Amino acid sequence: MTSHQTTQTMKPATAAKKLGVYLQATPAAFQEGVVTRAELNALQADPPEWLRELRRNGPHPRPVVAAKLGVSISGLARGGVTEALTTEQIEALKTENPEWLQKERATQAEVRKETARLKEKKRAEAEDEGAA
């Protein structure tokens, strides 16, 4: 019995997400086709100029925008940012530092602090159980 290995493919939206780029800004050929796992690996290993340019200057998808601003995706929405932003627009927001951004950054810092506290508590409890 021989096994036929099928080529694993993904939709362009999935590939764009894995590459961390905004799908609508990618070339038409990328948006209209399917991407194989091998093609995705090749794009990650040796990105073509269009991919390097998108990663450098955007427009960036919301998860990337949120990370660059140090806020959550929900925080972006609360701040009224619902579209992809370019690196230049992100830098302008950082410089402007509106009140909503300050508030969301503080919220995100609290979330990180609480997550670290819970992780430490869980580790300590596991240690205590191991010692008992």
Side-chain angles (χ1 to χ4, degrees):
M1 187 177 232
T2 60
S3 65
H4 295 284
Q5 188 160 4
T6 58
T7 303
Q8 190 178 13
T9 60
M10 62 193 83
K11 294 177 183 174
T14 304
K17 189 174 184 179
K18 289 180 182 286
L19 292 169
V21 295
Y22 185 57
L23 177 62
Q24 286 76 358
T26 61
F30 181 87
Q31 291 179 39
E32 294 162 3
V34 293
V35 181
T36 66
R37 175 67 61 189
E39 288 169 336
L40 179 69
N41 291 340
L43 286 169
Q44 289 172 323
D46 186 21
E49 183 55 37
W50 66 263
L51 182 54
R52 288 196 300 273
E53 180 67 22
L54 273 180
R55 286 178 170 166
R56 189 172 34 251
N57 298 316
H60 303 286
R62 286 182 310 138
V64 174
V65 173
K68 287 178 179 274
L69 289 173
V71 300
S72 67
I73 294 172
S74 302
L76 280 181
R78 284 189 293 271
V81 179
T82 57
E83 296 298 317
L85 298 179
T86 63
T87 300
E88 188 177 304
Q89 290 169 313
I90 293 168
E91 291 305 317
L93 260 178
K94 285 180 180 178
T95 302
E96 206 176 284
N97 202 14
E99 189 177 325
W100 72 264
L101 182 56
Q102 295 171 37
K103 183 178 166 195
E104 292 300 334
R105 282 181 166 168
T107 300
Q108 192 68 9
E110 285 300 314
V111 168
R112 284 192 201 103
K113 200 159 74 174
E114 181 63 7
T115 301
R117 186 190 69 79
L118 291 173
K119 186 176 178 181
E120 178 58 29
K121 180 181 175 190
K122 193 173 187 178
R123 188 196 60 73
E125 287 172 355
E127 235 175 51
D128 290 346
E129 285 179 16

